[in-house]
Amino acid sequence: MAVSRVSVVGAGTVGSQLAFQCALHGVDVTLASRRQETLDRGVAGATKLLHRRVEKGSLAEADCAAALGRVHTTTSVEAAAHHAEIVVEAVAERLDVKQEVFRHLDQHAPAGTILATTSSTIGISQLAGETGRPDLCVNAHFFNPVLVMDLVEVVRGPATSDETVRRTMDFARQVGRHPILVNRESYGFIVNRIIFTAIREALRLVAEGAATPEDVDEACLRGLNWPMGPIKLADFIGLDVIHDAWLLGQEEMDDAAWVPTPDLELRISSGELGMKTGRGFFDHARK
C-alpha cells in the first residue's frame, strides 16, 4: 500500500528537500527540527527551488502550491513521530546524535512504523540497537540534492526484515526516486565507496608531487569524461566530510591507505573546508 504520512527529522538540505520531494508526490509530510530557525531556513530553501521550477515551466503553479500545503513543520521530534508510517532521520552525521534520535523515535512512533536513516556512512546496525524494533530499521540514503538526484541506496542491516526492505523500496519509488538494494552493510555503500576511493587517489597524487590539483582534475575531465574533477568534488562535498570519511574507512577496512594526507589535515586545521568556506584545494570565493 502507498505511504500517506511521512515524518522527516532534520531540516538541513537533505531533510528539507526530502520533505518537499515527498510532498510533490502527494504525501503528507511533517518536517521536524529542534530549532525553529533551522526549519525556517530549510523550508525557505526548498520552497525557492520549487518556485524556480514554476518560473521555468517545469512545475505547474497549482502543483507547487499543493506540495507546499502538504509540508507541516514542528520543533517536537516526538510529535512528528506519532502518526507516521515511515520516519526518515536526516540529522547531523554524528553517531551519538543519530542514536539519541532513534531512541526518541522508537518511544513515540507507532509499533509498525519504519525508522530509516539517510546516513551515507553510518550503518543501520549502529542505530537499530537503540530501539526495540531492529527489524523495522533500515538505511535509506537519498542522494543530495534530493530534489534533483534520482538514486536511493537502501541498505539492509543484519536485523532488517524483508518486509521493511520491500516497503522502503516501494516508498522510494512512490516519491519518484530509484532505489538500489545493498544487501549488506559495507563502508561507503556503493557510490560513496567509489567516490571516496577516487578522491583518495587523486589527493595522494598531489601529495606525492605527481601533479597539481588543477592537472589531476583536468586529466579526469578530459580522459574520463567526468563532469567534475575529483578534487573539486572533494571541495564541493566538504573537506571536513572527506576527512571524517577517510578516518571511518581506515577504521572499518583496517587499511592505512585511508590515512588523510598532510595537505588535507593542514587545510582542515586552517578552516579551508571547500566551497562552504570559500576555499579548499581551489578558491571558491565569489568574484
Side-chain angles (χ1 to χ4, degrees):
M1 294 179 62
V3 172
S4 59
R5 298 183 306 278
V6 171
S7 289
V8 179
V9 178
T13 301
V14 171
S16 58
Q17 290 201 19
L18 174 56
F20 280 83
Q21 180 66 23
C22 293
L24 282 168
H25 287 78
V27 180
D28 286 327
V29 187
T30 300
L31 178 62
S33 174
R34 297 289 190 193
R35 302 176 60 186
Q36 185 64 49
E37 56 267 36
T38 302
L39 280 170
D40 293 342
R41 185 167 56 248
V43 168
T47 299
K48 183 177 180 180
L49 293 175
L50 263 60
H51 283 157
R52 192 174 299 166
R53 291 184 182 182
V54 173
E55 292 170 2
K56 292 181 177 180
S58 59
L59 178 65
E61 189 168 352
D63 292 337
C64 177
L68 295 177
R70 294 188 188 105
V71 178
H72 315 280
T73 63
T74 180
T75 56
S76 170
V77 173
E78 296 79 10
H82 278 160
H83 304 292
E85 297 164 64
I86 294 180
V87 182
V88 185
E89 168 272 309
V91 301
E93 198 74 354
R94 284 178 45 193
L95 179 59
D96 59 335
V97 175
K98 291 180 181 293
Q99 287 176 330
E100 181 183 2
V101 170
F102 265 67
R103 284 194 294 271
H104 284 302
L105 293 177
D106 186 50
Q107 293 170 11
H108 297 280
T113 297
I114 289 174
L115 305 183
T117 176
T118 60
S119 179
S120 61
T121 60
I122 297 172
I124 194 61
S125 62
Q126 299 182 70
L127 305 176
E130 304 296 319
T131 78
R133 61 180 87 191
D135 58 315
L136 288 166
C137 296
V138 66
N139 280 85
H141 175 211
F142 285 81
F143 276 67
N144 186 26
V146 181
L147 283 167
V148 176
M149 300 294 285
D150 185 50
L151 181 63
V152 182
E153 290 176 326
V154 176
V155 186
R156 183 197 300 271
T160 307
S161 71
D162 290 344
E163 178 65 10
T164 296
V165 169
R166 183 194 65 75
R167 288 173 60 192
T168 305
M169 300 276 281
D170 287 348
F171 165 64
R173 295 186 187 99
Q174 181 184 341
V175 299
R177 292 294 170 251
H178 186 91
I180 294 291
L181 177 61
V182 182
N183 272 307
R184 60 180 296 272
E185 291 181 4
S186 178
Y187 169 69
F189 307 149
I190 297 173
V191 174
N192 280 347
R193 174 83 161 266
I194 294 170
I195 287 175
F196 290 153
T197 301
I199 291 172
R200 181 192 74 185
E201 294 307 312
L203 292 184
R204 292 206 176 283
L205 283 169
V206 174
E208 294 165 6
T212 65
E214 291 80 3
D215 285 345
V216 169
D217 275 12
E218 186 75 9
C220 290
L221 292 174
R222 294 181 180 275
L224 297 173
N225 200 29
W226 287 4
M228 180 184 295
I231 300 180
K232 186 176 181 181
L233 178 59
D235 275 0
F236 178 80
I237 294 171
L239 298 186
D240 52 337
V241 176
I242 296 298
H243 182 270
D244 290 347
W246 281 25
L247 293 179
L248 186 63
Q250 182 186 1
E251 177 184 347
E252 292 196 7
M253 303 185 74
D254 192 24
D255 186 349
W258 290 96
V259 175
T261 62
D263 196 10
L264 179 58
E265 295 276 20
L266 178 61
R267 292 181 189 278
I268 295 293
S269 63
S270 300
E272 296 180 354
L273 307 182
M275 288 187 179
K276 69 176 90 177
T277 61
R279 183 163 185 82
F281 282 91
F282 296 101
D283 185 0
H284 304 284
R286 293 182 179 179
K287 305 298 183 183

